[in-house]
Every structure is written in structure tokens, then in C-alpha cells.
Amino acid sequence: MPGEDCQIVMKVLLLKDPKEDDCGQDPYIRELGLYGLEATLIPVLSFEFLSLPSFSEKLSHPEGYGGLIFTSPRAVEAVELCLEKDSKTEAWEKSLKEKWNAKPVYVVGSATASLVRKIGLDTEGEKCGNAEKLAEYICSRESPALPLLFPCGTLKGEILPKMLKDQGIPMESITVYQKIPHPGIQGNLKSYFSKQGVPASITFFSPSGLAYGLQHIQELSGDHINQIKFAAIGPTTARALVAQGLPVSCTAESPTPGALAAGIRKALQAHSCC
């Protein structure tokens, strides 16, 4: 097993929510553990849902749309909330789900795709990895006559909407959530640094996570910040790190636990005894 001969267990910090998989463990912790790395997860973001009555109304009329686009797990959670709050679960199971499944449902990433499948929808495009590649995929398909419905957050990137617009593909976006700082971020980070010390690597999972977490990390790391290998889950987050003047030691080739673990391991190899 990679990393098992190492004398020192390197500690890595991931700024994200813990999410257990079918095995009862967060897949990022498991994958990094396979490389002899001890990972800790600290959430930096919380979410508030917005415009759910309006979104619920749109979900009730699949005949008005050419398909769906999901680029985040939160957007899928917004669908679940609409179904629960408006007692639409029965209508969804009886007819709405089938009507939406007659149209393409585009997604980015395996985590989002998994949630979309749980609500009964078939997915395509999940292996695209980021919004830009998904936009290329959508543009390669037959252009729909009706707009694609795109539930998104307040900080959605402009790449996907612009690329679709440039190709004449109609799209209707609706803002269904906004990111806010996690209330426990400062205390959790302070506790981690006091008990574990400065980690060998820190991974950011979004530009907003970087915005909410960086100042605390700079204060807690002090002069040791130059020792930290900073990692990004994708190119958008990597650009945000560079904009903050931080060196990016690793950008995951795809937004998956395996790709991130391999990238961090490679970045830390120079400092490892293996």
C-alpha cells in the first residue's frame, strides 16, 4: 500500500463538509489514507436556500423546458426541498419525474450525479469534471428549442451561461441558494491548529470557501504558511488561490477523491520519506 513505510504520518486539511458514503466513511479521508496521509475535514460553508416557491413552480412544468442543468449538490437539494415543502413527492413519482427524464439532465461531477439519480433522474455529462467542459458537451448536442433550466447559487460562474449563449442555446437560470460562512469555522480551525499543528497540505473546494477560510488560516499559520502545500479541487478554485497570491501545488485532474489524493501525494512527495 502506498505510504505504509513512512515514519511520519503527514497531516492534510480539507476545507469541506464530511460526507459518508455507503461504507460509512468520507471517501476523501479513505483515499488519502491509502497514501498514508491523515486527513481532517473542516466545513467552511453553510447554505441558505432561496426562491424555492418559484423554483417549485418551474419544476411542475417540464413541458416548458428543454432539460435540466445541475452543477452543484446544493441545487439538487433545492429540488428535494421543493418536493418536500410543497407535497409534490407524489406528483413527482407519478408523472413529473418521467416527463423530466424524457429530456436531458446535464450534471457536473459524480457527487452531484449521485444525488440527481437518487431523485430518480437519469444523468449525462457527469465525467466532464467542470462547468466549462460540461458547456462544451451541451454545445455538442442537438440544440433544444426550449430553454434548459439551470438552478444555481448566487456565485455561479459565468463560463457555462456565456458559452451556451454564444452557441445560441437557450437557458433559464434561477438562483436557489447562497453560500454563507460556516458559523463554526474560526473555532474549528483554531482547535485543529492548536492540537495538530500546521498541516502539510490544505485543500480548498471553492473560491467562496477560500474567501471565508483564508484569513483564519493565515493568522493561525503565521510564518509557517510557506510550508503548506495548497491544493484546489478544480481550475476555478486554483485561479482564486493564485489571485490571492498563493502558490498552487496541486489541482485535482478531476473533482474526485481519488484524483485529489493522487495529486496531493505527488505534491508532498518531495517532503516524504517514501
Side-chain angles (χ1 to χ4, degrees):
M1 186 182 292
E4 66 183 359
D5 296 323
C6 275
Q7 302 290 314
I8 302 167
V9 175
M10 297 187 107
K11 297 178 190 298
V12 297
L13 179 58
L14 309 183
L15 299 180
K16 70 177 285 292
D17 286 331
K19 289 217 168 58
E20 290 183 0
D21 61 9
D22 298 338
C23 303
Q25 187 183 26
D26 185 278
Y28 285 92
I29 288 181
R30 186 175 58 250
E31 289 291 330
L32 285 156
L34 294 175
Y35 289 96
L37 300 170
E38 185 183 313
T40 300
L41 306 179
I42 294 180
V44 289
L45 298 174
S46 287
F47 296 87
E48 287 179 342
F49 289 94
L50 313 166
S51 310
L52 292 184
S54 175
F55 183 38
S56 182
E57 182 65 19
K58 293 177 190 301
L59 287 172
S60 298
H61 294 284
E63 69 279 1
Y65 297 96
L68 283 161
I69 301 173
F70 292 106
T71 59
S72 75
R74 306 298 165 190
V76 191
E77 286 176 32
V79 175
E80 293 174 328
L81 286 172
C82 287
L83 298 180
E84 287 168 19
K85 284 186 175 178
D86 295 344
S87 304
K88 277 199 167 71
T89 308
E90 191 179 344
W92 180 261
E93 291 298 331
K94 275 188 173 176
S95 63
L96 290 177
K97 179 174 69 175
E98 189 181 342
K99 288 175 181 174
W100 280 114
N101 264 335
K103 306 163 188 287
V105 180
Y106 300 109
V107 299
V108 166
S110 55
T112 304
S114 174
L115 288 174
V116 171
R117 285 193 288 270
K118 276 183 183 173
I119 59 172
L121 297 178
D122 303 325
T123 64
E124 54 181 289
E126 69 180 271
K127 289 189 168 57
C128 293
N130 59 51
E132 187 174 353
K133 288 180 181 172
L134 181 66
E136 290 172 2
Y137 177 81
I138 294 171
C139 291
S140 74
R141 316 288 285 171
E142 187 179 344
S143 180
L146 296 166
L148 297 169
L149 181 59
F150 177 33
C152 55
T154 48
L155 297 176
K156 75 174 188 301
E158 293 305 318
I159 292 175
L160 185 143
K162 185 179 185 307
M163 287 177 70
L164 296 190
K165 186 180 178 184
D166 289 349
Q167 291 296 317
I169 295 173
M171 188 195 77
E172 182 183 315
S173 61
I174 176 169
T175 303
V176 294
Y177 68 91
Q178 65 181 359
K179 296 175 182 178
I180 57 173
H182 190 281
I185 176 175
Q186 189 170 6
N188 290 336
L189 284 170
K190 195 173 180 181
S191 174
Y192 176 87
F193 274 78
S194 65
K195 292 173 184 171
Q196 309 276 1
V198 177
S201 172
I202 296 178
T203 301
F204 290 96
F205 284 76
S206 68
S208 44
L210 173 68
Y212 298 147
L214 182 58
Q215 186 183 344
H216 300 307
I217 285 164
Q218 287 170 325
E219 289 168 0
L220 291 162
S221 304
D223 296 337
H224 298 291
I225 196 161
N226 295 330
Q227 300 169 15
I228 300 170
K229 300 288 184 186
F230 287 103
I233 194 63
T236 306
T237 305
R239 286 192 288 269
L241 276 162
V242 171
Q244 289 288 345
L246 294 172
V248 181
S249 298
C250 156
T251 303
E253 287 190 4
S254 64
T256 61
L260 179 67
I264 290 175
R265 179 62 185 150
K266 192 174 178 184
L268 292 175
Q269 215 135 30
H271 300 270
S272 169
C273 58
C274 295

